[in-house]
Amino acid sequence: MGIKYIEPATFKKSFTCPHCGAISLMHFHCISYIDKKMIGFQEVQCGGNSWVQVATCHNCAKHIVWVDNLYAYPDIVAEEPNPDMPEEVKQLYNEAELIYNKSPRAACALLRLAIDRLCNELGENDRDINKNIGELVKKGLPVSVQQALDVVRVVGNKAVHPGQIAFDVDDVGTATMLMRLLNIIVSRMISEPKEIAGLYDQLPESVKRSITKRDE
């Protein structure tokens, strides 16, 4: 799977720094842009609608900024796509990755389309994504992944089909979850079988013949 990713958020003691990419401790301060008062974030939870929250990364010493609890700077780079992700799916993923923090609705639509395309790449071509995911479960995809997709309404009555955008659940958290789930599906259905096949290919031919004879 790749390196663990922790989404930046206020009140978190540590998360993945969008500058250096390290999971690092963060030191917070709040700055009032009305009365210019500055307080330590660990000491007082700043409230109201006049605060700039600034986190300083312990690893690289660069700043991450929220304005009135809304993320502002820098642009967040989400979890990188699995290298084994099919190219068409990866293009959709990368496009969503660039915009998910600024336009989560558009990103979620792209990621749902990416899941649809990934199902196609894995040999499931039903127009109903729910049925496609169900078939992948039969082939080894964890049931928990199907359940997680249900939670973010990728499947079921409120499925988002190509060219459509759902306006009720399309937020940054949903986009982040969809990216994570895409990587999990690729890892389980493509990367792991590829790795096992590579290990098998390294076996001596005499061992392979014995295995083939055993399985006849």
Side-chain angles (χ1 to χ4, degrees):
M1 278 305 304
I3 300 173
K4 182 180 179 182
Y5 175 80
I6 302 176
E7 186 177 1
T10 55
F11 298 99
K12 277 187 180 178
K13 293 182 178 180
S14 63
F15 52 73
T16 301
C17 176
H19 292 287
C20 65
I23 296 178
S24 175
L25 291 173
M26 298 288 165
H27 182 71
F28 277 92
H29 280 87
C30 279
I31 304 169
S32 171
Y33 57 78
I34 290 181
D35 59 19
K36 299 181 181 179
K37 179 181 179 182
M38 182 172 179
I39 60 174
F41 201 53
Q42 282 84 359
E43 300 170 5
V44 180
Q45 292 185 2
C46 45
N49 297 314
S50 63
W51 293 97
V52 175
Q53 297 111 340
V54 181
T56 302
C57 174
H58 184 74
N59 184 61
C60 69
K62 293 184 178 180
H63 304 304
I64 303 97
V65 180
W66 291 258
V67 178
D68 299 336
N69 290 315
L70 296 177
Y71 186 89
Y73 171 84
D75 286 343
I76 296 178
V77 177
E79 180 180 0
E80 291 295 317
N82 186 307
D84 293 323
M85 189 175 290
E87 190 59 34
E88 183 181 1
V89 179
K90 189 182 294 184
Q91 289 177 1
L92 293 166
Y93 185 107
N94 287 336
E95 186 176 349
E97 183 183 44
L98 291 174
I99 65 171
Y100 86 102
N101 192 58
K102 295 179 179 178
S103 181
R105 288 176 178 173
C108 287
L110 287 168
L111 292 166
R112 289 185 173 94
L113 182 58
I115 290 173
D116 187 53
R117 292 290 184 268
L118 179 57
C119 288
N120 296 161
E121 290 284 345
L122 294 172
E124 305 304 329
N125 296 301
D126 198 287
R127 291 183 61 84
D128 186 342
I129 301 178
N130 190 27
K131 292 181 180 178
N132 289 335
I133 296 295
E135 290 301 315
L136 292 180
V137 168
K138 294 178 183 179
K139 296 179 180 179
L141 184 69
V143 175
S144 58
V145 174
Q146 185 178 27
Q147 293 170 340
L149 291 170
D150 284 330
V151 170
V152 294
R153 300 182 188 180
V154 174
V155 296
N157 293 331
K158 293 191 176 182
V160 175
H161 300 291
Q164 297 180 348
I165 300 177
F167 293 98
D168 54 348
V169 294
D170 291 344
D171 54 18
V172 171
T174 299
T176 302
M177 183 183 293
L178 289 173
M179 283 186 276
R180 184 65 177 160
L181 290 172
L182 271 164
N183 274 329
I184 290 173
I185 295 171
V186 172
S187 179
R188 180 58 65 94
M189 305 304 296
I190 299 178
S191 298
E192 290 182 12
K194 178 181 175 182
E195 183 177 2
I196 293 171
L199 293 172
Y200 182 82
D201 288 341
Q202 295 176 26
L203 293 174
E205 288 301 321
S206 58
V207 175
K208 292 181 184 177
R209 287 195 294 269
S210 297
I211 294 173
T212 300
K213 186 175 180 180
R214 179 203 65 192
D215 293 339
E216 288 178 350

